[in-house]
Amino acid sequence: MQMLSRAWRHTLVRHATLAVLGLLVAVVVLMSVDDFRNRQLTELAYMALAAGGLTLLTGINGQISLGHGAFMAIGAYTTALLLQDPETALPLPLVLLASLLVALVVGVLVGVAAARLHGPYLAGATLTLAIAVPGIARYFSTTLGGEQGLRVTSPEPPAWFLDALFFLTGTEPSNSQYYAILGWTLLVVVFFLLANLIRGRVGRRWAAVRDDEVAAELAGINLARARVSAFTVSAAVAGLAGALMAIQIRLAAPTAFELTLSLTLLTAIVLGGLGTLSGAIIGSVVLVYTARIATDVGTAQGLDSIAAAELAPLVYGTVMILVILLAPAGLVGSLLRWRAARAARGADRRTTPPAARPTDPHHPDGPADQQRRPVATTKGDQP
Amino acid sequence: MPASDQVAHATPDPTSATPSATATPALELRDVTVRFGGVTALSAAGLRVAEHTVHGVIGPNGAGKTTLFNVACGFLRPDEGQVVRRGETLARLRPHRLASYGMSRTLQGLGLFDRLSVLDNVMVGADRHGRSGFLGTMLALPGATRDEDRLRERAMEALERLRIAEHARRYPPSLPYALRKRVALARALVAEPTLLLLDEPASGLSSEEMDELAALIGGLSGEMAVMLVEHHMDLVMKVCDRITVLDFGKVIADGSPAEVQQDPAVVAAYLGDDVADLDADTGPATDPATPTEA
């Protein structure tokens, strides 16, 4: 038991166990629900993936990006171009890798510029990106399909995959299940890698740069390098998410990557709590499902489809306002904060006996307490 | 004690640590001049911080202490003059390179990372001893994990040395100021610098805490050279082997605490018009006008 708890403290053991368990649960769930649910869960996977990348950038490294949808677009269009002709199409893993790499390269370029910008200026620059990229897709209508976008010939599941799942579950997975399992596998693997980064030296540097630039620099951290690397990783993950999105919706079109997508991602990480990967998942769940549920409820209440669809932004907004009012650190962030505060109270109780606390100079209440003491007592203390 | 101990890496006797004029100093400022617009903050100021000594920089408010400090650590480029570290001129020193020169500094505003635990704060300070790279960290390779364990061990040692190990898992904003200050000091020490620059380390501390700090700084000279800018006279007199006194951007005195205390220029600069000011600051024990242990 003790050995288990010691092993658990090791980052790799902890993250790998969570990843394997997560993957098992995901496969079981995905294999037991219908195609409709699988498509929803795929959407959840790519949204959570992109939100995880953004969490690292905004939550851990403190750089805001209003343009992460643009990196998703870059990944989606790369995938669409590579899968256009079924005859010459590359194998899927290579397509995904290529989408990731293209987004990564663009991420380096944008990151180098972003490293020099702060706060509202960075927000402005990334906003431009969110607006420009769909515009570029519209402009180059011959190669990128213009307003209609590019059709994506989504690949069929490979034979080994069908065999493996048939062996494991006794049923043949549908295409939707294939994409869903692909999406969740990518989500788990990428989050495993991101969690390692965040918990390790790299993430500590990112967070140090976020909290205090001068002090981070004094510790020997190259600010520009830390910022650019965070931006790059984040963009690459978004590119991968975009590739998955293109495969799922079988289309890469400008309308799918408008500013709303970027803002949705940002909303997701704020809802979940900045700076935690679990927050990114929970935020994405809230976003993907509140919209669906609101629309369903609206339709059930006899609203026509347009009015029902308009309920979603209303519920979105309400949830957002409630979270900011009631849990400003986000859903997961507030939970962690509550736990830290409880641990701190516990530590205080252990280090300072209750009787010693009022006069303890280390205790924040100490001096105030002394001031409240009557003057006579203070004089009496003097010999 | 043989004189050669002053340059050797053995613990020198603080009383015999008067630096010889010929040894290469840990840090030397040569004729440094800094102007802000029309104001000359430092004019041809020079000082030598010898290895394994505690060197204090004092002076009345506005004397140029902070400017000198910022020049020493590369935050400010002087208009004239040079900063020389162990014989090497530091031109265009960028702050993140400071650590690689074996220099560490504390910030007056502490500059702790509020959303990192105390342990992580100190681990950032130890970062220059880390070897694991991006891929190793991402894949949690065994080498990176061991590297991480080593950094954590170093950080815990630094925390234990400053007796704040029990707060390792807490976050700086939840700690009282004096403890936060120790975290900042632990973060500077864990880098194992050979030159530590302390910016007003005693500000905001109670007198017992200041005694503790004095004992700590005194013990550091065995491992490194220390330069501190401070206006708490009793701390400076207690811990420094050598003191440079600034007034109006010029060095008006340089010597051992006893020499400086009796220097007429220093007495004039400090006592000038306002004797009460110094009394309030230092108490009668270290009043330069009345030699200590009289």
Side-chain angles (χ1 to χ4, degrees), chain A residues 196 201 204-205 211 217 362, chain B residues 115 127 132 138 148 176:
Chain A
N196 286 344
R201 189 171 170 218
R204 202 165 44 237
R205 287 168 158 216
D211 280 358
E217 225 176 354
H362 292 291
Chain B
R115 286 163 66 190
D127 194 75
S132 62
M138 186 164 80
E148 192 73 2

Side-chain angles (χ1 to χ4, degrees), chain B residues 18-40:
Chain B
T18 325
S20 74
T22 50
T24 312
L27 186 76
E28 186 178 6
L29 269 63
R30 289 188 193 145
D31 298 326
V32 168
T33 300
V34 177
R35 297 185 198 91
F36 296 114
V39 182
T40 305

Side-chain angles (χ1 to χ4, degrees), chain A residues 135-195:
Chain A
I136 291 171
R138 285 195 183 94
Y139 186 80
F140 294 101
S141 50
T142 40
T143 40
L144 298 177
E147 194 64 49
Q148 271 69 47
L150 293 175
R151 296 214 139 274
V152 177
T153 325
S154 297
E156 295 290 314
W160 66 262
F161 176 81
L162 296 177
D163 291 346
L165 274 191
F166 186 80
F167 176 75
L168 285 174
T169 61
T171 46
E172 190 101 319
S174 66
N175 275 13
S176 297
Q177 277 170 331
Y178 170 54
Y179 303 140
I181 289 174
L182 176 72
W184 280 84
T185 309
L186 286 176
L187 179 68
V188 168
V189 170
V190 169
F191 270 40
F192 168 71
L193 298 177
L194 292 185

Side-chain angles (χ1 to χ4, degrees), chain A residues 56-71:
Chain A
L56 185 149
L57 182 70
T58 304
I60 305 288
N61 194 229
Q63 302 189 74
I64 192 166
S65 170
L66 296 180
H68 248 50
F71 293 108

Side-chain angles (χ1 to χ4, degrees), chain A residues 275-295:
Chain A
T276 57
L277 290 175
S278 49
I281 295 185
I282 290 173
S284 307
V285 170
V286 172
L287 281 190
V288 170
Y289 283 96
T290 45
R292 286 276 152 75
I293 293 169
T295 315

Side-chain angles (χ1 to χ4, degrees), chain B residues 252-271:
Chain B
I252 57 167
D254 190 292
S256 69
E259 285 163 10
V260 163
Q261 271 178 329
Q262 277 147 22
D263 193 302
V266 177
V267 175
Y270 265 93
L271 302 183

Side-chain angles (χ1 to χ4, degrees), chain B residues 67-78:
Chain B
T67 307
L68 183 127
F69 193 81
N70 284 335
V71 168
C73 69
F75 271 28
L76 257 183
R77 201 120 40 87

